[in-house]
Amino acid sequence: MSDVKTDYPARYYASYDTTATQPTQVTGWYDTWDMSSLDGVPAASSMVVVTETQWNDATFHLPIGKGVKDGVIVDFMPTAPLTTQASYALSSARTYVQNNYTILNETTPDAWVTYLKALMAIANGTDTTSTTLPTAPTT
Amino acid sequence: MLAVPTTDNVYSQITSYAQPKGSYQAAGDYVTTDIYNSDFNTTSDNVINLPYQNREQVFTTTASAGDIVTFPVAFSSVQGCICHVQGNSDYNVKAFNVTNTGFTLHINSGGNNAPIVVYAKGKK
């Protein structure tokens, strides 16, 4: 029968996507000795050990802003995928166009139409070559 | 009438005279210090431990649309998670893809650096 202190001798661990390019975001903080069930907990070998000092350090043990690189926890702010960024930008742009042109029964400027179409192509996966979002029209 | 001084009579009289009246907890029928500490002990104000392996977590952070937000400590099983903006802003935020370790933040129409407060409930 397995024993938690044998399987997880360091007690505190941080999980991450072991298949992702590093640095990659910390996806979970585990106090393995204080869990009622270890079902679904990654093996200790696929996580990074967190020292007790780090665990109790409120400036280190954070809900966001930490990643793993070469087995060490580092500062890391993830960037959302371009398709996700495009979806959010598209939603915001649609609201702007509706409020400033559509509900006023005014023609949507070509620059905005072009911008909307470019965002739609990235968001729906049609455009797979862009690496950045298009710049929004100024007016 | 004079009571015969049997053992039962003497005991009854002493009890009636000396012991306050009331209902008393049976000897041993209480939560021990070890059980109390096992139920409630915590090392973080963000983690509230409760009996029967229940745990609540409440914390604040700043996050952007699409960010993965991790709980201070992973649950064995999470039962629910609520996320809301804590501040004077129009951000409309939601927690989605909730797992034992955290969730992904949704902000309507996107947004960055939203000050959020999170409440989550689950099992240790």
Side-chain angles (χ1 to χ4, degrees), chain A residues 5-58:
Chain A
K5 294 185 180 181
T6 302
D7 294 342
Y8 299 92
R11 180 172 180 167
Y12 303 112
Y13 294 87
S15 61
Y16 63 100
D17 182 354
T18 56
T19 65
T21 302
Q22 296 188 8
T24 183
Q25 187 172 6
V26 167
T27 56
W29 300 96
Y30 289 91
D31 179 356
T32 55
W33 294 5
D34 195 33
M35 298 183 77
S36 58
S37 169
L38 294 171
D39 291 347
V41 178
S45 59
S46 64
M47 296 195 285
V48 175
V49 169
V50 180
T51 67
E52 187 170 358
T53 301
Q54 290 173 328
W55 184 270
N56 293 322
D57 182 354

CSV table of all heavy atoms in Angstrom, one decimal, chain A residues 5-58:
chain,number,residue,atom,x,y,z
A,5,LYS,N,3.8,9.9,2.3
A,5,LYS,CA,5.1,10.5,2.6
A,5,LYS,C,6.2,9.8,1.9
A,5,LYS,O,7.3,10.3,1.8
A,5,LYS,CB,5.4,10.5,4.1
A,5,LYS,CG,4.4,11.4,4.9
A,5,LYS,CD,4.7,11.4,6.4
A,5,LYS,CE,3.8,12.4,7.1
A,5,LYS,NZ,4.0,12.5,8.6
A,6,THR,N,5.9,8.6,1.4
A,6,THR,CA,6.9,7.9,0.5
A,6,THR,C,6.7,8.4,-0.9
A,6,THR,O,7.7,8.7,-1.6
A,6,THR,CB,6.6,6.4,0.6
A,6,THR,OG1,6.8,6.0,1.9
A,6,THR,CG2,7.6,5.7,-0.3
A,7,ASP,N,5.5,8.5,-1.4
A,7,ASP,CA,5.2,9.0,-2.8
A,7,ASP,C,5.5,10.4,-3.0
A,7,ASP,O,5.9,10.8,-4.1
A,7,ASP,CB,3.8,8.6,-3.1
A,7,ASP,CG,3.5,7.2,-3.2
A,7,ASP,OD1,4.5,6.4,-3.2
A,7,ASP,OD2,2.3,6.8,-3.1
A,8,TYR,N,5.3,11.2,-1.9
A,8,TYR,CA,5.5,12.7,-2.0
A,8,TYR,C,6.3,13.2,-0.9
A,8,TYR,O,5.8,13.9,0.0
A,8,TYR,CB,4.1,13.4,-2.1
A,8,TYR,CG,3.3,13.0,-3.3
A,8,TYR,CD1,2.3,12.0,-3.2
A,8,TYR,CD2,3.4,13.7,-4.5
A,8,TYR,CE1,1.6,11.6,-4.2
A,8,TYR,CE2,2.6,13.3,-5.6
A,8,TYR,CZ,1.7,12.3,-5.4
A,8,TYR,OH,0.9,11.9,-6.5
A,9,PRO,N,7.6,12.8,-0.8
A,9,PRO,CA,8.4,13.1,0.3
A,9,PRO,C,8.6,14.6,0.7
A,9,PRO,O,8.9,14.9,1.8
A,9,PRO,CB,9.7,12.4,0.0
A,9,PRO,CG,9.7,12.3,-1.5
A,9,PRO,CD,8.3,12.1,-1.9
A,10,ALA,N,8.4,15.4,-0.4
A,10,ALA,CA,8.7,16.9,-0.1
A,10,ALA,C,7.4,17.6,0.4
A,10,ALA,O,7.5,18.8,0.7
A,10,ALA,CB,9.2,17.5,-1.4
A,11,ARG,N,6.3,16.9,0.4
A,11,ARG,CA,5.0,17.4,0.8
A,11,ARG,C,4.4,18.5,-0.1
A,11,ARG,O,3.4,18.3,-0.6
A,11,ARG,CB,5.1,18.0,2.2
A,11,ARG,CG,3.7,18.6,2.7
A,11,ARG,CD,3.6,19.0,4.1
A,11,ARG,NE,2.3,19.5,4.5
A,11,ARG,CZ,1.9,19.7,5.7
A,11,ARG,NH1,2.7,19.5,6.7
A,11,ARG,NH2,0.6,20.2,5.9
A,12,TYR,N,5.2,19.6,-0.4
A,12,TYR,CA,4.6,20.7,-1.2
A,12,TYR,C,5.1,20.6,-2.6
A,12,TYR,O,6.4,20.5,-2.9
A,12,TYR,CB,5.0,22.0,-0.6
A,12,TYR,CG,4.6,22.3,0.8
A,12,TYR,CD1,5.5,22.3,1.8
A,12,TYR,CD2,3.2,22.4,1.1
A,12,TYR,CE1,5.1,22.5,3.1
A,12,TYR,CE2,2.8,22.6,2.4
A,12,TYR,CZ,3.7,22.7,3.4
A,12,TYR,OH,3.3,22.9,4.7
A,13,TYR,N,4.2,20.7,-3.6
A,13,TYR,CA,4.6,20.6,-5.0
A,13,TYR,C,3.8,21.6,-5.9
A,13,TYR,O,2.7,22.0,-5.5
A,13,TYR,CB,4.3,19.2,-5.5
A,13,TYR,CG,5.2,18.1,-4.9
A,13,TYR,CD1,4.8,17.5,-3.7
A,13,TYR,CD2,6.4,17.7,-5.5
A,13,TYR,CE1,5.5,16.5,-3.1
A,13,TYR,CE2,7.2,16.7,-4.9
A,13,TYR,CZ,6.7,16.1,-3.7
A,13,TYR,OH,7.5,15.1,-3.1
A,14,ALA,N,4.4,21.9,-7.0
A,14,ALA,CA,3.7,22.7,-8.0
A,14,ALA,C,3.6,21.9,-9.3
A,14,ALA,O,4.6,21.3,-9.7
A,14,ALA,CB,4.5,24.0,-8.3
A,15,SER,N,2.4,21.9,-9.9
A,15,SER,CA,2.2,21.1,-11.1
A,15,SER,C,2.3,22.1,-12.3
A,15,SER,O,2.1,23.3,-12.2
A,15,SER,CB,0.9,20.4,-11.1
A,15,SER,OG,-0.2,21.4,-11.0
A,16,TYR,N,2.6,21.5,-13.5
A,16,TYR,CA,2.7,22.3,-14.7
A,16,TYR,C,2.5,21.3,-15.9
A,16,TYR,O,2.5,20.1,-15.7
A,16,TYR,CB,4.0,23.0,-14.8
A,16,TYR,CG,5.2,22.1,-14.9
A,16,TYR,CD1,5.8,21.8,-16.1
A,16,TYR,CD2,5.7,21.5,-13.7
A,16,TYR,CE1,6.9,20.9,-16.1
A,16,TYR,CE2,6.8,20.6,-13.8
A,16,TYR,CZ,7.4,20.4,-15.0
A,16,TYR,OH,8.5,19.5,-15.0
A,17,ASP,N,2.3,21.8,-17.1
A,17,ASP,CA,2.1,21.0,-18.3
A,17,ASP,C,3.5,20.6,-18.7
A,17,ASP,O,4.3,21.4,-19.2
A,17,ASP,CB,1.5,21.8,-19.4
A,17,ASP,CG,1.2,21.0,-20.6
A,17,ASP,OD1,1.7,19.9,-20.7
A,17,ASP,OD2,0.6,21.5,-21.5
A,18,THR,N,3.8,19.3,-18.5
A,18,THR,CA,5.2,18.8,-18.7
A,18,THR,C,5.5,18.7,-20.2
A,18,THR,O,6.6,18.6,-20.6
A,18,THR,CB,5.4,17.4,-18.1
A,18,THR,OG1,4.3,16.5,-18.7
A,18,THR,CG2,5.3,17.4,-16.6
A,19,THR,N,4.4,18.8,-21.1
A,19,THR,CA,4.6,18.8,-22.5
A,19,THR,C,4.8,20.2,-23.2
A,19,THR,O,5.1,20.3,-24.3
A,19,THR,CB,3.4,18.0,-23.2
A,19,THR,OG1,2.2,18.8,-23.0
A,19,THR,CG2,3.2,16.7,-22.6
A,20,ALA,N,4.5,21.2,-22.4
A,20,ALA,CA,4.5,22.6,-22.9
A,20,ALA,C,6.0,23.1,-23.0
A,20,ALA,O,6.9,22.7,-22.3
A,20,ALA,CB,3.7,23.5,-22.1
A,21,THR,N,6.1,24.0,-23.9
A,21,THR,CA,7.4,24.8,-24.0
A,21,THR,C,7.6,25.6,-22.8
A,21,THR,O,6.7,26.3,-22.3
A,21,THR,CB,7.4,25.7,-25.3
A,21,THR,OG1,7.1,24.9,-26.4
A,21,THR,CG2,8.7,26.4,-25.4
A,22,GLN,N,8.8,25.5,-22.2
A,22,GLN,CA,9.0,26.3,-21.0
A,22,GLN,C,9.7,27.6,-21.3
A,22,GLN,O,10.4,27.8,-22.3
A,22,GLN,CB,10.0,25.4,-20.1
A,22,GLN,CG,9.3,24.1,-19.7
A,22,GLN,CD,10.1,23.4,-18.6
A,22,GLN,OE1,11.1,23.9,-18.1
A,22,GLN,NE2,9.6,22.2,-18.3
A,23,PRO,N,9.4,28.6,-20.5
A,23,PRO,CA,8.7,28.5,-19.2
A,23,PRO,C,7.2,28.3,-19.5
A,23,PRO,O,6.7,28.8,-20.5
A,23,PRO,CB,8.9,29.8,-18.5
A,23,PRO,CG,9.2,30.8,-19.6
A,23,PRO,CD,9.9,30.0,-20.7
A,24,THR,N,6.6,27.6,-18.6
A,24,THR,CA,5.1,27.3,-18.7
A,24,THR,C,4.5,27.5,-17.4
A,24,THR,O,5.2,27.4,-16.3
A,24,THR,CB,4.9,25.9,-19.2
A,24,THR,OG1,3.5,25.7,-19.4
A,24,THR,CG2,5.4,24.8,-18.3
A,25,GLN,N,3.2,27.9,-17.4
A,25,GLN,CA,2.6,28.3,-16.2
A,25,GLN,C,2.4,27.2,-15.1
A,25,GLN,O,2.2,26.0,-15.5
A,25,GLN,CB,1.2,28.8,-16.5
A,25,GLN,CG,0.4,29.5,-15.4
A,25,GLN,CD,-0.8,30.1,-15.8
A,25,GLN,OE1,-1.2,30.0,-17.0
A,25,GLN,NE2,-1.5,30.8,-14.9
A,26,VAL,N,2.6,27.6,-13.9
A,26,VAL,CA,2.2,26.7,-12.8
A,26,VAL,C,0.7,26.5,-12.8
A,26,VAL,O,-0.1,27.5,-12.9
A,26,VAL,CB,2.6,27.3,-11.4
A,26,VAL,CG1,2.0,26.5,-10.3
A,26,VAL,CG2,4.1,27.3,-11.2
A,27,THR,N,0.2,25.2,-12.8
A,27,THR,CA,-1.2,25.0,-12.9
A,27,THR,C,-1.8,24.5,-11.6
A,27,THR,O,-3.0,24.4,-11.5
A,27,THR,CB,-1.4,23.9,-14.0
A,27,THR,OG1,-0.7,22.7,-13.6
A,27,THR,CG2,-1.0,24.3,-15.4
A,28,GLY,N,-1.0,24.3,-10.6
A,28,GLY,CA,-1.6,23.9,-9.3
A,28,GLY,C,-0.6,23.8,-8.2
A,28,GLY,O,0.6,23.6,-8.4
A,29,TRP,N,-1.0,24.1,-7.0
A,29,TRP,CA,-0.2,24.1,-5.8
A,29,TRP,C,-0.7,22.9,-4.9
A,29,TRP,O,-1.9,23.0,-4.5
A,29,TRP,CB,-0.2,25.4,-5.0
A,29,TRP,CG,0.2,26.6,-5.8
A,29,TRP,CD1,-0.6,27.5,-6.5
A,29,TRP,CD2,1.6,27.0,-6.0
A,29,TRP,NE1,0.2,28.4,-7.1
A,29,TRP,CE2,1.5,28.2,-6.8
A,29,TRP,CE3,2.8,26.6,-5.6
A,29,TRP,CZ2,2.6,28.9,-7.2
A,29,TRP,CZ3,3.9,27.3,-6.0
A,29,TRP,CH2,3.9,28.5,-6.7
A,30,TYR,N,0.1,22.0,-4.6
A,30,TYR,CA,-0.3,20.8,-3.8
A,30,TYR,C,0.3,20.7,-2.5
A,30,TYR,O,1.6,20.8,-2.3
A,30,TYR,CB,0.0,19.5,-4.6
A,30,TYR,CG,-0.9,19.3,-5.8
A,30,TYR,CD1,-0.4,19.8,-7.1
A,30,TYR,CD2,-2.1,18.6,-5.7
A,30,TYR,CE1,-1.2,19.6,-8.2
A,30,TYR,CE2,-2.8,18.4,-6.9
A,30,TYR,CZ,-2.4,18.9,-8.1
A,30,TYR,OH,-3.2,18.7,-9.2
A,31,ASP,N,-0.5,20.6,-1.4
A,31,ASP,CA,0.0,20.2,-0.1
A,31,ASP,C,-0.5,18.7,0.0
A,31,ASP,O,-1.5,18.4,0.6
A,31,ASP,CB,-0.7,21.0,1.0
A,31,ASP,CG,-0.2,20.6,2.4
A,31,ASP,OD1,0.5,19.6,2.5
A,31,ASP,OD2,-0.6,21.3,3.4
A,32,THR,N,0.4,17.8,-0.5
A,32,THR,CA,0.0,16.4,-0.6
A,32,THR,C,-0.3,15.7,0.7
A,32,THR,O,-1.2,14.8,0.8
A,32,THR,CB,1.0,15.6,-1.4
A,32,THR,OG1,2.3,15.8,-0.7
A,32,THR,CG2,1.2,16.2,-2.8
A,33,TRP,N,0.4,16.2,1.8
A,33,TRP,CA,0.2,15.5,3.0
A,33,TRP,C,-1.2,15.9,3.7
A,33,TRP,O,-1.6,15.3,4.7
A,33,TRP,CB,1.3,15.8,4.0
A,33,TRP,CG,2.6,15.2,3.6
A,33,TRP,CD1,2.9,14.6,2.4
A,33,TRP,CD2,3.8,15.3,4.3
A,33,TRP,NE1,4.2,14.3,2.4
A,33,TRP,CE2,4.8,14.7,3.5
A,33,TRP,CE3,4.2,15.8,5.6
A,33,TRP,CZ2,6.2,14.6,4.0
A,33,TRP,CZ3,5.5,15.7,6.0
A,33,TRP,CH2,6.5,15.1,5.2
A,34,ASP,N,-1.8,16.9,3.2
A,34,ASP,CA,-3.1,17.4,3.8
A,34,ASP,C,-4.3,17.1,2.9
A,34,ASP,O,-5.3,17.8,3.0
A,34,ASP,CB,-2.9,18.9,4.1
A,34,ASP,CG,-4.0,19.4,5.1
A,34,ASP,OD1,-4.4,18.6,5.9
A,34,ASP,OD2,-4.4,20.5,4.9
A,35,MET,N,-4.2,16.2,2.0
A,35,MET,CA,-5.3,15.9,1.1
A,35,MET,C,-6.0,14.6,1.5
A,35,MET,O,-5.4,13.7,2.0
A,35,MET,CB,-4.7,15.7,-0.3
A,35,MET,CG,-4.0,17.0,-0.9
A,35,MET,SD,-3.5,16.9,-2.6
A,35,MET,CE,-5.1,17.1,-3.4
A,36,SER,N,-7.3,14.7,1.4
A,36,SER,CA,-8.1,13.5,1.7
A,36,SER,C,-8.0,12.4,0.7
A,36,SER,O,-8.3,11.2,0.9
A,36,SER,CB,-9.6,13.9,2.0
A,36,SER,OG,-10.1,14.5,0.8
A,37,SER,N,-7.6,12.8,-0.5
A,37,SER,CA,-7.5,11.8,-1.6
A,37,SER,C,-6.4,12.3,-2.6
A,37,SER,O,-6.3,13.5,-2.9
A,37,SER,CB,-8.8,11.6,-2.4
A,37,SER,OG,-8.6,10.9,-3.6
A,38,LEU,N,-5.6,11.3,-3.0
A,38,LEU,CA,-4.5,11.7,-4.0
A,38,LEU,C,-4.9,11.3,-5.4
A,38,LEU,O,-4.1,11.4,-6.3
A,38,LEU,CB,-3.2,11.0,-3.6
A,38,LEU,CG,-2.6,11.5,-2.3
A,38,LEU,CD1,-1.5,10.6,-1.8
A,38,LEU,CD2,-2.1,12.9,-2.4
A,39,ASP,N,-6.2,10.9,-5.6
A,39,ASP,CA,-6.6,10.6,-7.0
A,39,ASP,C,-6.5,11.8,-7.9
A,39,ASP,O,-6.9,12.9,-7.6
A,39,ASP,CB,-8.1,10.1,-6.9
A,39,ASP,CG,-8.3,8.8,-6.2
A,39,ASP,OD1,-7.3,8.1,-6.0
A,39,ASP,OD2,-9.4,8.5,-5.9
A,40,GLY,N,-5.8,11.6,-9.0
A,40,GLY,CA,-5.7,12.6,-10.0
A,40,GLY,C,-4.5,13.6,-9.7
A,40,GLY,O,-4.2,14.4,-10.5
A,41,VAL,N,-3.8,13.4,-8.6
A,41,VAL,CA,-2.6,14.2,-8.3
A,41,VAL,C,-1.5,13.7,-9.2
A,41,VAL,O,-1.2,12.5,-9.1
A,41,VAL,CB,-2.3,14.2,-6.8
A,41,VAL,CG1,-1.0,15.0,-6.6
A,41,VAL,CG2,-3.4,14.7,-6.0
A,42,PRO,N,-0.8,14.6,-9.9
A,42,PRO,CA,0.3,14.1,-10.7
A,42,PRO,C,1.4,13.5,-9.8
A,42,PRO,O,1.5,13.8,-8.6
A,42,PRO,CB,0.9,15.4,-11.4
A,42,PRO,CG,-0.3,16.4,-11.3
A,42,PRO,CD,-1.0,16.0,-10.1
A,43,ALA,N,2.2,12.6,-10.4
A,43,ALA,CA,3.3,12.0,-9.7
A,43,ALA,C,4.3,13.0,-9.3
A,43,ALA,O,4.5,14.0,-10.0
A,43,ALA,CB,4.0,10.9,-10.6
A,44,ALA,N,4.9,12.8,-8.2
A,44,ALA,CA,5.9,13.7,-7.7
A,44,ALA,C,7.0,14.0,-8.7
A,44,ALA,O,7.5,15.2,-8.8
A,44,ALA,CB,6.6,13.2,-6.4
A,45,SER,N,7.3,13.0,-9.5
A,45,SER,CA,8.4,13.2,-10.5
A,45,SER,C,8.0,14.1,-11.6
A,45,SER,O,8.9,14.6,-12.3
A,45,SER,CB,8.8,11.8,-11.1
A,45,SER,OG,7.6,11.2,-11.7
A,46,SER,N,6.7,14.4,-11.8
A,46,SER,CA,6.3,15.3,-12.9
A,46,SER,C,5.9,16.7,-12.3
A,46,SER,O,5.3,17.4,-13.0
A,46,SER,CB,5.1,14.7,-13.6
A,46,SER,OG,4.0,14.5,-12.8
A,47,MET,N,6.3,16.9,-11.1
A,47,MET,CA,6.0,18.2,-10.5
A,47,MET,C,7.3,18.8,-9.9
A,47,MET,O,8.3,18.2,-9.9
A,47,MET,CB,5.0,18.1,-9.3
A,47,MET,CG,3.6,17.7,-9.8
A,47,MET,SD,2.3,17.9,-8.6
A,47,MET,CE,2.6,16.6,-7.4
A,48,VAL,N,7.2,20.1,-9.5
A,48,VAL,CA,8.4,20.8,-9.0
A,48,VAL,C,8.2,20.9,-7.5
A,48,VAL,O,7.1,21.2,-7.0
A,48,VAL,CB,8.5,22.2,-9.6
A,48,VAL,CG1,9.7,22.9,-8.9
A,48,VAL,CG2,8.8,22.1,-11.1
A,49,VAL,N,9.2,20.6,-6.7
A,49,VAL,CA,9.2,20.7,-5.3
A,49,VAL,C,9.1,22.1,-4.9
A,49,VAL,O,9.8,23.0,-5.4
A,49,VAL,CB,10.4,20.0,-4.6
A,49,VAL,CG1,10.5,20.4,-3.1
A,49,VAL,CG2,10.4,18.5,-4.8
A,50,VAL,N,8.2,22.4,-3.9
A,50,VAL,CA,8.1,23.8,-3.3
A,50,VAL,C,8.6,23.6,-1.9
A,50,VAL,O,8.1,22.8,-1.1
A,50,VAL,CB,6.6,24.3,-3.4
A,50,VAL,CG1,6.5,25.7,-2.8
A,50,VAL,CG2,6.1,24.3,-4.8
A,51,THR,N,9.5,24.5,-1.5
A,51,THR,CA,10.0,24.4,-0.1
A,51,THR,C,9.0,25.0,0.8
A,51,THR,O,8.1,25.7,0.4
A,51,THR,CB,11.3,25.2,0.1
A,51,THR,OG1,11.0,26.6,-0.1
A,51,THR,CG2,12.4,24.7,-0.9
A,52,GLU,N,9.1,24.6,2.1
A,52,GLU,CA,8.1,25.1,3.1
A,52,GLU,C,8.2,26.7,3.2
A,52,GLU,O,7.2,27.4,3.3
A,52,GLU,CB,8.4,24.5,4.5
A,52,GLU,CG,7.3,24.9,5.5
A,52,GLU,CD,7.5,24.1,6.8
A,52,GLU,OE1,8.3,23.3,6.9
A,52,GLU,OE2,6.7,24.4,7.7
A,53,THR,N,9.4,27.2,3.0
A,53,THR,CA,9.6,28.6,3.0
A,53,THR,C,8.9,29.3,1.8
A,53,THR,O,8.2,30.3,2.0
A,53,THR,CB,11.1,29.0,3.0
A,53,THR,OG1,11.7,28.4,4.1
A,53,THR,CG2,11.3,30.5,3.0
A,54,GLN,N,9.0,28.7,0.7
A,54,GLN,CA,8.3,29.2,-0.5
A,54,GLN,C,6.8,29.1,-0.4
A,54,GLN,O,6.1,30.0,-0.7
A,54,GLN,CB,8.8,28.4,-1.8
A,54,GLN,CG,10.2,28.7,-2.2
A,54,GLN,CD,10.7,27.8,-3.3
A,54,GLN,OE1,10.2,26.6,-3.4
A,54,GLN,NE2,11.5,28.2,-4.2
A,55,TRP,N,6.4,27.9,0.2
A,55,TRP,CA,4.9,27.7,0.4
A,55,TRP,C,4.3,28.8,1.3
A,55,TRP,O,3.2,29.3,1.0
A,55,TRP,CB,4.7,26.3,0.9
A,55,TRP,CG,3.3,26.0,1.0
A,55,TRP,CD1,2.4,26.2,2.1
A,55,TRP,CD2,2.4,25.4,0.0
A,55,TRP,NE1,1.2,25.7,1.8
A,55,TRP,CE2,1.1,25.2,0.6
A,55,TRP,CE3,2.7,24.9,-1.3
A,55,TRP,CZ2,0.1,24.7,-0.1
A,55,TRP,CZ3,1.6,24.3,-2.0
A,55,TRP,CH2,0.4,24.2,-1.4
A,56,ASN,N,5.0,29.2,2.3
A,56,ASN,CA,4.5,30.1,3.3
A,56,ASN,C,4.8,31.6,2.9
A,56,ASN,O,4.4,32.5,3.6
A,56,ASN,CB,5.0,29.8,4.7
A,56,ASN,CG,4.5,28.5,5.2
A,56,ASN,OD1,3.3,28.1,5.0
A,56,ASN,ND2,5.4,27.8,5.9
A,57,ASP,N,5.5,31.8,1.8
A,57,ASP,CA,5.8,33.1,1.3
A,57,ASP,C,4.7,33.6,0.4
A,57,ASP,O,4.5,33.2,-0.8
A,57,ASP,CB,7.1,33.1,0.5
A,57,ASP,CG,7.6,34.5,0.1
A,57,ASP,OD1,6.8,35.4,0.2
A,57,ASP,OD2,8.7,34.6,-0.5
A,58,ALA,N,3.9,34.6,0.9
A,58,ALA,CA,2.8,35.1,0.1
A,58,ALA,C,3.2,35.9,-1.1
A,58,ALA,O,2.4,36.1,-2.0
A,58,ALA,CB,1.9,36.0,1.0
